Structures are given as structure tokens and as C-alpha cells.
Amino acid sequence: MVAAARPVADVGNTGSSLEDWFKSLPIITRYWFAATFIFTAGMSFGVIDPMNYIFDFNAVKDRFEIWRLVTPFCILGKFSFPTAIALYMMVQYSKRHEMSPYNTGGGSGTADYATTVLFGMALMLAVSASGIFQMVVMCQHLVYMTLYLWSKRDANQDVSIYGFPVKASQLPFAYLGITVVMGNDPMPIIVGIVSGHVYYFLVEVVPAMYGRDVIHTPAFLVDFFGPGQYVPAVQAAAAGGGGWQAPGRVNPPAQPAAGGAPAASLGEEEGERDSGRIEAGGPEGPTCRWWWLQRLLLGKRRGRETRVELKLEDQKS
């Protein structure tokens, strides 16, 4: 295990206490870190047997132990210095990429990051289940995938590793080189880099070169997290109303693929989302009852539609 790189300029305020710091983490990073820490503590004190939670395709297929599809991404090992470094890297790079992921239809927000994580998990599980490369725990692999995508997204960010300044785009390969020199297993980094590049290729290269969107954020994730960055539900009574606001709807998001311009209004977007439910199946019939399934299968490609419209306008001019 190698030491985590530190940014030249610190990102965000960690708060005045441990609780404030934990609550300041983006939602996916927060729960991923909490689950991994619980598994680490449980394994260290002998409360959790990791053999019941590592990836075992036969156990999933024959005994329907479906939790093994998730728990391998929360297992790092017992408390140790390498484990502490891995937890630090998880928080730092997952937090940064979650705050500005690739826009696949959710306005470069939390729903898009959830799509990124689910894609990485599915890809690694498929590779392990196929027998191409056997992996029973994949937490570090997913961390390095997140690191690689963040380094592609913010390629010019200045960071330092062991006191040596490097660009973010060089950071994954610096980790790989140091790991090889130190004689540690480089496969988690290699798998993370390859998985991250597959996602990057499908999200950025294929649409630009072939005009096709291969990956699109499912509508149910946008419905759950809201467009843009997820904002926890807050009590509307504090603003003079009653009840609770829906998740992710407190602040209007930036318009996807439109240079970060603010959305016209939150009400207009909600009206568009509601009209999309009717358009998918007509004003009558039972289709409106299954609007969530229609949106999952036929959901509008908000960010990509805007990008296509801009391209068409450029061609006309």
C-alpha cells in the first residue's frame, strides 16, 4: 500500500468535530466509508467473519446470498496502516469525484456518481464470476477506479505524493509504479485503472466519436437523488411551510451540458418530468400507474439531448 497523495489546496471544510466532518461527506461516500469502517472494526474484533461476505458466485447462484454482490466492496481487512491509507483514499477521491462526476443524464450530480459506482461494481463482479480474473474482495479496486476517473475529470489538478508534485492525470500511474517498486500487489490498481478507462471510454469517447450514448443514468436514480448534487430532505417548516421536501429538490441544479447555467425554474423541470410520464404511454390507460417503469425504460436524456441540440445549432450556423 502506498501513501495517499495530498492536494496542494485543501478541498472543502471538514467541520469542527468528527461528526461535522462525517456529515459533510457526500451521501454515497459517507455510507460507503461507514460500511467499510464497520466491516474493518468487526473483522478486527472478531465479530464479523469475512468468509460470509466475500464474493462467491456459487453462493449467490445456489443459495441466493445476494448480499455478496455488495459486501465485497466494503472489505479492506483488519485495522492496520495500509487499511487506514485505503480508507483515507476512499474518502478523498470518492468525495471529489462525487461532487463533480461525468454527466450521464443527472446534471453531473449524485445520480451520475451512483451510476458510475454501479457500473464499476457490475463490471468487476462480471469479470470475477466469468473466471477471467478471480476477485473475492474489490474495495480497493473500486477506490482506484474512482481515483482514475477523478484524475481524468480534473487532469490539471496539482497534487503531491511523498512530497513530489504531480498532475492528477499522472497520479494513478504514480501509485502503480510505487506499488510495483515496493513489491506489493499491483492488481487492485490495474483493475481499477482498466475499469475506470472502460467507463471513461463509454461516457466520453464513444459519444464524441460515434454520436451514441452507451451509458445513461437510470431515471429512478434521478428521481431518488434529484438532478444535480443530492441535498438531504429538510423540514420545510423552517422556511414557513409544513412537511418535508423531497430528496435533492432543495436547490435548483445547474442545467446539464449547458455551461453550468442555472435552470430556469424548479417548477418547470418538475412539470416537464410529470408530462414525460403521460407522453410515455398516453393520457389514458394503466400506463400512468407504471410511470416509474416507463421512465426507467424510456426516460428522457436531459443532458445528452441538450448536447445534441447544441451540435445541431452549430451545424445550421
Side-chain angles (χ1 to χ4, degrees):
M1 178 61 65
V2 296
R6 294 186 177 183
V8 173
D10 192 14
V11 178
N13 183 12
T14 58
S16 58
S17 68
L18 185 61
E19 181 180 1
D20 293 337
W21 169 82
F22 181 73
K23 291 182 178 180
S24 71
L25 297 176
I27 183 170
I28 296 178
T29 301
R30 185 193 317 162
Y31 284 103
W32 186 17
F33 170 77
T36 305
F37 186 85
I38 290 172
F39 269 96
T40 301
M43 292 170 57
S44 299
F45 293 107
V47 178
I48 295 177
D49 183 2
M51 298 304 296
N52 295 326
Y53 299 97
I54 62 175
F55 179 65
D56 185 344
F57 181 69
N58 291 327
V60 175
K61 180 183 65 174
D62 300 333
R63 299 192 295 272
F64 203 63
E65 297 179 358
I66 57 175
W67 63 84
R68 293 181 183 267
L69 300 176
V70 178
T71 52
F73 299 95
C74 301
I75 297 176
L76 282 174
K78 297 181 179 180
F79 280 124
S80 63
F81 181 72
T83 300
I85 294 296
L87 286 171
Y88 175 82
M89 293 177 63
M90 173 192 295
V91 170
Q92 291 299 313
Y93 300 121
S94 177
K95 177 181 68 175
R96 292 172 191 164
H97 192 53
E98 183 173 352
M99 294 173 67
S100 181
Y102 287 102
N103 180 13
T104 53
S108 191
T110 306
D112 294 327
Y113 183 66
T115 303
T116 303
V117 173
L118 291 175
F119 176 88
M121 293 172 62
L123 180 61
M124 295 176 193
L125 290 172
V127 170
S128 182
S130 65
I132 298 175
F133 182 69
Q134 189 67 32
M135 298 177 288
V136 294
V137 291
M138 291 160 272
C139 187
Q140 287 190 44
H141 308 63
L142 192 60
V143 170
Y144 282 111
M145 174 184 169
T146 304
L147 165 62
Y148 179 81
L149 289 173
W150 169 78
S151 71
K152 298 290 285 186
R153 184 75 165 159
D154 298 315
N156 294 322
Q157 174 78 36
D158 292 322
V159 297
S160 64
I161 181 169
Y162 287 114
F164 295 98
V166 297
K167 292 294 184 181
S169 59
Q170 303 168 337
L171 188 59
F173 305 100
Y175 277 129
L176 179 60
I178 293 175
T179 300
V180 172
V181 170
M182 296 178 65
N184 296 325
D185 183 14
M187 290 311 300
I189 304 180
I190 294 175
V191 172
I193 291 176
V194 172
S195 301
H197 192 72
V198 169
Y199 185 84
Y200 171 80
F201 182 82
L202 295 177
V203 169
E204 288 291 303
V205 179
V206 171
M209 295 185 63
Y210 304 102
R212 293 185 178 181
D213 292 319
V214 180
I215 297 178
H216 182 70
T217 300
F220 75 90
L221 289 177
V222 180
D223 287 336
F224 181 79
F225 291 110
Q229 287 297 313
Y230 172 82
V231 180
V234 296
Q235 200 164 13
W244 293 80
Q245 294 182 354
R249 307 294 201 275
V250 179
N251 296 324
Q255 189 78 346
S265 68
L266 197 57
E268 292 179 5
E269 182 176 347
E270 290 296 334
E272 180 184 351
R273 290 156 61 85
D274 292 338
S275 64
R277 301 177 187 175
I278 304 299
E279 292 170 2
E284 297 178 356
T287 53
C288 295
R289 180 180 178 183
W290 302 99
W291 63 267
W292 56 272
L293 180 58
Q294 294 167 4
R295 284 183 56 78
L296 175 60
L297 299 176
L298 305 173
K300 294 182 178 180
R301 302 188 170 202
R302 299 186 185 89
R304 302 304 185 188
E305 282 180 345
T306 305
R307 180 178 296 178
V308 171
E309 291 174 1
L310 292 175
K311 288 183 178 179
L312 291 176
E313 291 179 0
D314 293 338
Q315 292 176 358
K316 291 180 180 179
S317 60

